[in-house]
Each structure stands twice: as structure tokens, then as C-alpha cells.
């Protein structure tokens, strides 16, 4: 594996019973790029991401992240990875600040450093006015922004974004896409799944 590759997937096979979701799939993700994974719903994009992250077992193949196999105890590698899931994953009883702080706390123990990172994430997604709101008080677009902040607050080197613009208005969609570009400009490698051709063309270095 060369130094400029963040993720290497070789001959990956994943079956659900008789259904073959990934059929000897190969992929290289280069450091510093935005890679667009384009395909219709149900084609295996989320299955691929969950396999890379070690959230799914797979039938065959090899996956390396930053040159190492990602294992359950690969904490140093996991600290360098952020995930923004397709489904909004938030704690409804916690405020915006508390939600981000919780997810950031999975990676950052120091409270002062964590507070700094949480505040930076809130500023990045422009939720400053909503830091004390609970999720049910937010619009769908603002919830998506919060979902992103929870996944990137620890400032990971590699970020997986699984269709983060689903079911949001045009303004929120453009905000999210511009935010992805800024994350990349700040040094993050991004794997972005979508079934929107225009989105893939707009922000991806490769599709």
C-alpha cells in the first residue's frame, strides 16, 4: 500500500443470504481527495462503508485504512475517522452542544480541548444560535447540520458521509456541500455517497 492511499479495498465480497451486495469490489481512496460513490439506492454503498468501518463482517476480501487492517481495538486509526450516517443519529433529550460533546467525547478525553472542538464544530455548521436547542426544535436541515457536526467535531483525517443531503431543502443542501468542500480544503479526505449526479459532479475529485 502506498503512502498516498487512505483506504484500500481488495476483492470485497458481502452476501446477505443469496443476495450478493458486493461482488469482488475494489477501491482505492487517495489522501486529500473527495471521492464520490455514486449509485442508486440499494446498490451497496452503505454496505461498503460499514464494511470499511468494521461495522459489518464480510465474506471475503481485504480492507486497509491508513495502511492497517481496521480491527475492533484499532483505536488510534478509529480516532482519525469520522462518520456521518444516512439516518440522523442524535440524542433527542440532549441539546445541540451536548450531542456534539457526547460524540466528540468518544475520541477526546480532555474536557477543555473537547469544549474547544465542540465550539469550533458548532461554528463550522453555523448552529451558534441553536446550541441550547434540543433536536426536536430544529428543522430537518438544521438536524442534518448537527448530524455532520457530531461526526466531524474530533477533526478526523478521513470522513465518510452517507447521503447527508437526503430530504433537505435546497438552501441546506448547498450549505452542506459547501461545508464538505471546506472540510476537504482543511485537509480531510472525504468519501461521499450519493445518488444525485449533480452533487457528485459538483464536489468530487473522482466518482
Amino acid at each position: 500500500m502506498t503512502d498516498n492511499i487512505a483506504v484500500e479495498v481488495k476483492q470485497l465480497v458481502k452476501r446477505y443470504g443469496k443476495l450478493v451486495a458486493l461482488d469482488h469490489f475494489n477501491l482505492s481512496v487517495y489522501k486529500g481527495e473527495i471521492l464520490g460513490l455514486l449509485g442508486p439506492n440499494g446498490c451497496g454503498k452503505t454496505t461498503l462503508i460499514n464494511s470499511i468501518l468494521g461495522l459489518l463482517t464480510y465474506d471475503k476480501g481485504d480492507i486497509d485504512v491508513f495502511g492497517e487492517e481496521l480491527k475492533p481495538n484499532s483505536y488510534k486509526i478509529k480516532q482519525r475517522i469520522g462518520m456521518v450516517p444516512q439516518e440522523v443519529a442524535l440524542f433527542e433529550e440532549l441539546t445541540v452542544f451536548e450531542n456534539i460533546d457526547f460524540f466528540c467525547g468518544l475520541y477526546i478525553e480532555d474536557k477543555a480541548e473537547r469544549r474547544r472542538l465542540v465550539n469550533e464544530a458548532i461554528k463550522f455548521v453555523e448552529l451558534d444560535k441553536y446550541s441550547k436547542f434540543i433536536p426536536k426544535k430544529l428543522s430537518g436541515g438544521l438536524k442534518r447540520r448537527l448530524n455532520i457536526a457530531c461526526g466531524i467535531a474530533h477533526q478526523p483525517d478521513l470522513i465518510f458521509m452517507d447521503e447527508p443531503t437526503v430530504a433537505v431543502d435546497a438552501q441546506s443542501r448547498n450549505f452542506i456541500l459547501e461545508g464538505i468542500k471546506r472540510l476537504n480544503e482543511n485537509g480531510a479526505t472525504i468519501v461521499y455517497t450519493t445518488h444525485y449526479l449533480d452533487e457528485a459532479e459538483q464536489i468530487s475529485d473522482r466518482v
Side-chain angles (χ1 to χ4, degrees):
M1 183 169 177
T2 58
D3 290 339
N4 68 327
I5 296 179
V7 180
E8 185 83 75
V9 179
K10 294 181 179 178
Q11 297 294 305
L12 187 64
V13 177
K14 172 61 182 176
R15 298 184 180 91
Y16 296 101
K18 293 183 179 180
L19 174 66
V20 181
L22 296 168
D23 188 5
H24 296 87
F25 187 85
N26 296 288
L27 176 72
S28 296
V29 181
Y30 298 97
K31 292 178 181 178
E33 75 171 342
I34 300 177
L35 177 69
L37 283 179
L38 180 67
N41 290 331
C43 73
K45 301 188 300 295
T46 301
T47 294
L48 172 65
I49 288 177
N50 287 338
S51 296
I52 293 172
L53 294 174
L55 301 175
L56 275 179
T57 58
Y58 45 91
D59 300 278
K60 181 181 177 182
D62 297 297
I63 300 174
D64 289 326
V65 179
F66 297 121
E68 298 181 34
E69 180 184 356
L70 193 63
K71 299 178 180 179
N73 62 345
S74 302
Y75 301 120
K76 288 186 177 180
I77 298 178
K78 289 182 177 182
Q79 284 181 330
R80 300 177 64 187
I81 301 173
M83 173 63 187
V84 180
Q86 182 175 345
E87 300 296 328
V88 174
L90 304 169
F91 292 101
E92 292 295 334
E93 69 275 15
L94 300 182
T95 65
V96 165
F97 184 95
E98 290 167 343
N99 263 288
I100 303 171
D101 184 64
F102 173 83
F103 287 102
C104 190
L106 299 175
Y107 307 93
I108 308 295
E109 292 184 6
D110 183 81
K111 288 184 178 180
E113 173 68 1
R114 195 165 72 236
R115 175 173 287 274
R116 181 186 70 81
L117 291 171
V118 171
N119 284 325
E120 283 190 16
I122 288 174
K123 185 176 181 181
F124 182 82
V125 296
E126 295 184 8
L127 288 177
D128 313 62
K129 298 177 182 178
Y130 306 95
S131 63
K132 295 182 179 180
F133 282 46
I134 57 176
K136 71 177 181 180
K137 297 290 186 181
L138 302 176
S139 68
L142 293 180
K143 283 184 181 180
R144 283 284 174 186
R145 294 190 196 184
L146 174 56
N147 209 41
I148 291 171
C150 290
I152 64 149
H154 61 293
Q155 297 186 349
D157 298 314
L158 173 64
I159 304 172
F160 292 89
M161 293 194 165
D162 195 4
E163 301 194 25
T165 62
V166 169
V168 299
D169 60 84
Q171 183 178 2
S172 294
R173 182 186 183 207
N174 289 333
F175 179 91
I176 290 169
L177 294 177
E178 288 301 319
I180 291 169
K181 289 180 181 178
R182 282 186 286 141
L183 287 169
N184 180 247
E185 288 168 359
N186 291 337
T189 301
I190 296 171
V191 178
Y192 180 85
T193 80
T194 182
H195 55 266
Y196 298 124
L197 284 165
D198 60 326
E199 283 189 6
E201 185 177 30
Q202 182 177 340
I203 68 168
S204 302
D205 297 308
R206 285 193 302 139
V207 177

